[in-house]
Amino acid sequence: MANEDTLEGTSIADTANTRIPGGGDIWVLIGGDFIVFTLIFTTYTYYWQLDPAVFYKSSTLLVTDIGFANTLLLLTGSWLVATAMRYFRSGQLERAGLFMGLASLTGVVFLANKAVEWTHLFAAGNSVNSNDYFMFFFMLTGIHGLHVVIGTGVLIYFYSRLSNSTAVTPSHQALEGGALFWHLVDILWIVLFALLYLIS
Amino acid sequence: MHRETIIWLGLMLATVVSTYAVDGALGQALPTLETAILTSTLLIAFVKIRFVAYEFMEIRTAPLFLRLATDVWIIATCGALLLLAPGTYSI
């Protein structure tokens, strides 16, 4: 049976096409999340087709720059986590911790942006009851925001463990699982940004 | 430059182009190309997703079934959204 520790310092290419990233269990969560979000994305698009004028008018009330900034933040967060994993595999734990910490900051700033956006929308009189567009907007960005909160918390935990030389280092599989979840959050936002801010 | 950094820069550039060139400038200048702009924006989004999955999630080196499942999800979701969105493909 392969010991997790033997993966540290091993290049990904050495285990090409045989190893499931993060182990099999995390993919039940990730696969389930992808399926649920696909159902919500398609339901949103179906309702958009039924009333494109209201969806267009409502989407113009959003500030594209905020969605754009949040997209760049999550892409940067994904890159920082991928870099952290490279450092971890090469045994540079403190540097891996630093990059996990920086990635968690992208989650914090994302949530701050989202709070500002929601506050402005509520202040302008929009709510989940306004119309179908805003019902979907607040529901989708709310569920996604919850994912960002969880992912950010996991990254902060990794940062605290990897930066403290006396703390127990998380396993390679645990780190990969957390990293995969963070990339899932990024992927879901890429779809949300295109659907809610750009094409509607 | 490390591979993940090149991928990240490409993803950032694609986001800028998609937001301000395709959907922004082109969408305002040529509103009659609405369907083409919608299609391009969605395709760029799902190409970005494939890069995030294959490179950052390490699907590139994962077993075949996981690579296939990823591609099926990307094609099915993008296809469903294109077919359902208002426009010439609408079902």
Side-chain angles (χ1 to χ4, degrees):
Chain A
M1 194 175 107
N3 185 323
E4 283 170 0
D5 293 337
T6 60
L7 291 170
E8 290 174 23
T10 305
S11 123
I12 286 292
D14 296 340
T15 54
N17 303 338
T18 57
R19 196 177 63 86
I20 299 173
D25 295 348
I26 189 71
W27 285 95
V28 176
L29 172 71
I30 290 174
D33 234 22
F34 272 131
I35 290 168
V36 169
F37 266 91
T38 298
L39 291 173
I40 306 175
F41 292 152
T42 49
T43 308
Y44 166 87
T45 312
Y46 172 75
Y47 275 87
W48 170 27
Q49 185 191 108
L50 294 181
D51 202 352
V54 164
F55 275 58
Y56 170 73
K57 193 178 170 195
S58 302
S59 70
T60 59
L61 299 175
L62 301 184
V63 179
T64 304
D65 291 346
I66 290 184
F68 170 75
N70 273 347
T71 308
L72 297 192
L73 278 166
L74 289 192
L75 287 173
T76 303
S78 266
W79 167 66
L80 290 167
V81 165
T83 306
M85 290 306 298
R86 177 165 54 76
Y87 282 126
F88 178 80
R89 288 176 181 130
S90 63
Q92 300 179 68
L93 301 190
E94 283 194 17
R95 189 162 279 202
L98 172 68
F99 276 79
M100 287 290 186
L102 290 172
S104 73
L105 285 180
T106 64
V108 171
V109 178
F110 178 98
L111 291 169
N113 268 344
K114 188 54 64 189
V116 169
E117 181 185 47
W118 274 33
T119 303
H120 280 270
L121 287 171
F122 284 136
N126 303 294
S127 73
V128 287
N129 297 319
S130 299
N131 55 44
D132 284 342
Y133 175 85
F134 277 114
M135 187 267 289
F136 277 108
F137 174 83
F138 286 114
M139 182 186 73
L140 280 165
T141 57
I143 298 171
H144 179 266
L146 191 61
H147 282 68
V148 177
V149 170
I150 295 168
T152 303
V154 170
L155 294 179
I156 291 172
Y157 171 76
F158 288 161
Y159 164 73
S160 69
R161 290 291 167 152
L162 291 168
S163 304
N164 182 354
S165 56
T166 60
V168 176
T169 306
S171 70
H172 182 262
Q173 188 168 332
L175 286 165
E176 277 194 336
L180 285 169
F181 184 80
W182 190 246
H183 299 312
L184 159 79
V185 169
D186 184 14
I187 284 177
L188 295 177
W189 181 257
I190 291 173
V191 183
L192 287 177
F193 177 55
L195 272 185
L196 297 173
Y197 293 78
L198 298 182
I199 60 177
S200 292
Chain B
M1 195 180 289
H2 289 284
R3 185 183 177 99
E4 71 265 15
T5 305
I6 297 168
I7 299 295
W8 168 64
L9 290 172
L11 290 168
M12 300 283 272
L13 182 64
T15 305
V16 173
V17 170
S18 174
T19 306
Y20 295 109
V22 178
D23 194 75
L26 200 60
Q28 284 175 6
L30 299 165
T32 50
L33 291 178
E34 192 180 325
T35 303
I37 290 163
L38 182 152
T39 307
S40 306
T41 304
L42 267 184
L43 287 178
I44 291 171
F46 279 90
V47 167
K48 280 164 60 184
I49 285 169
R50 194 170 188 277
F51 273 103
V52 172
Y54 267 65
E55 300 294 333
F56 294 161
M57 297 177 89
E58 297 170 355
I59 294 296
R60 186 168 61 91
T61 53
L64 179 64
F65 78 90
L66 205 48
R67 280 180 278 148
L68 282 176
T70 304
D71 286 341
V72 166
W73 180 82
I74 288 172
I75 292 167
T77 307
C78 186
L81 297 184
L82 281 173
L83 288 174
L84 285 168
T88 53
Y89 314 113
S90 291
I91 54 173

